[in-house]
Amino acid sequence: MNKKSSHLYKKVSLIAATNQNCKISEQYRTIRTNFLSSTNCINSRTLIITSPNGQEGKSTTAANLAITLAQQGKKVLLIDANMRNPNLGCSFNIDNFTGLSSVLKGRIRFEDTIDQTEIKGLDLLTSGPVPFNPTELLGSQNMESLIETVVGLYDVVVIDTPPILEVSDAKILANQCDGLLLVLRSGKTKSAEAIKVKKILESSKSKLLGIILIDTD
């Protein structure tokens, strides 16, 4: 049974689950359709969602895209890899006493810290307690092994990461995953920042699958 989260991180809107008939939910379903039908995404099983900076909507996008994928019958794992400022556990009312950081430190088995959400087909791996060395943990062999494991268990793995211009975590994970979706917020994300992210991704092994522009008229 899921336990109610005890920390005070800001929740993201799970509108694709709570109001499936609204315009915003339909837009998330459009993103899902584009992802599943794009030739660039056919073999993409591990998907990173990130943004240039904070407060641009990446966590909300990650959660709602994962929900819509599960609603279509996919078996989905949502991973909160933002071990600096996690919020997916509280958003799904699931505790964060153990999670990704616990698994990467070898303190708990992956199987013992996965939570089923209230959305059929969607599991969540919370961030776990905030560690002092998140970058090193994400770049570790344990992380590579975890990704190999979950790819064999799920149709799609959606990973929420810290903003790519603030820390190197997203770039490190992008080298281990199939592709990346970049979230930009209209009126907040500067064009120079988006160009800088593009150059960062070009210097890595990551594959930019698409850009999601939110808060447009």
Side-chain angles (χ1 to χ4, degrees), residues 38-56:
S38 171
T39 55
N40 290 331
C41 305
I42 289 177
N43 296 317
S44 298
R45 301 277 301 282
T46 50
L47 177 64
I48 287 175
I49 311 292
T50 192
S51 59
N53 300 293
Q55 305 302 313
E56 290 179 304

Side-chain angles (χ1 to χ4, degrees), residues 94-106:
I94 292 174
D95 73 49
N96 195 31
F97 300 130
T98 60
L100 179 60
S101 63
S102 312
V103 174
L104 298 182
K105 289 180 178 180

Side-chain angles (χ1 to χ4, degrees), residues 41-194:
C41 305
I42 289 177
N43 296 317
S44 298
R45 301 277 301 282
T46 50
L47 177 64
I48 287 175
I49 311 292
T50 192
S51 59
N53 300 293
Q55 305 302 313
E56 290 179 304
K58 63 174 184 57
S59 297
T60 302
T61 300
N64 283 283
L65 177 58
I67 289 169
T68 60
L69 286 165
Q71 288 171 339
Q72 198 175 49
K74 300 292 184 182
K75 188 176 182 182
V76 183
L77 175 64
L78 177 60
I79 299 178
D80 191 346
N82 188 355
M83 293 188 287
R84 301 168 188 270
N85 187 29
N87 58 16
L88 293 182
C90 65
S91 300
F92 284 89
N93 291 320
I94 292 174
D95 73 49
N96 195 31
F97 300 130
T98 60
L100 179 60
S101 63
S102 312
V103 174
L104 298 182
K105 289 180 178 180
R107 294 178 177 174
I108 191 171
R109 297 189 310 164
F110 157 76
E111 297 87 347
D112 294 332
T113 193
I114 289 294
D115 282 285
Q116 293 181 342
T117 70
E118 295 181 357
I119 292 89
K120 182 180 179 181
L122 176 59
D123 289 349
L124 175 66
L125 176 58
T126 64
S127 68
V130 174
F132 72 90
N133 59 340
T135 302
E136 289 73 17
L137 289 177
L138 293 175
S140 68
Q141 180 60 49
N142 283 349
M143 187 68 200
E144 291 185 22
S145 299
L146 175 62
I147 291 175
E148 291 177 2
T149 297
V150 298
V151 165
L153 298 173
Y154 294 90
D155 298 318
V156 184
V157 180
V158 179
I159 305 174
D160 180 33
T161 74
I164 197 166
L165 292 184
E166 295 183 4
V167 290
S168 60
D169 300 13
K171 181 180 178 181
I172 289 173
L173 273 179
N175 287 327
Q176 303 180 44
C177 297
D178 297 326
L180 180 148
L181 290 178
L182 182 65
V183 178
L184 308 180
R185 184 180 291 276
S186 178
K188 185 178 190 302
T189 309
K190 298 178 181 178
S191 58
E193 294 172 336

Side-chain angles (χ1 to χ4, degrees), residues 8-22:
L8 300 177
Y9 292 111
K10 183 179 178 181
K11 292 186 176 183
V12 302
S13 170
L14 306 180
I15 195 167
T18 59
N19 189 354
Q20 296 185 36
N21 296 321
C22 74

Side-chain angles (χ1 to χ4, degrees), residues 17-29:
T18 59
N19 189 354
Q20 296 185 36
N21 296 321
C22 74
K23 181 179 180 180
I24 297 175
S25 293
E26 181 58 34
Q27 290 171 340
Y28 283 120
R29 288 192 289 270

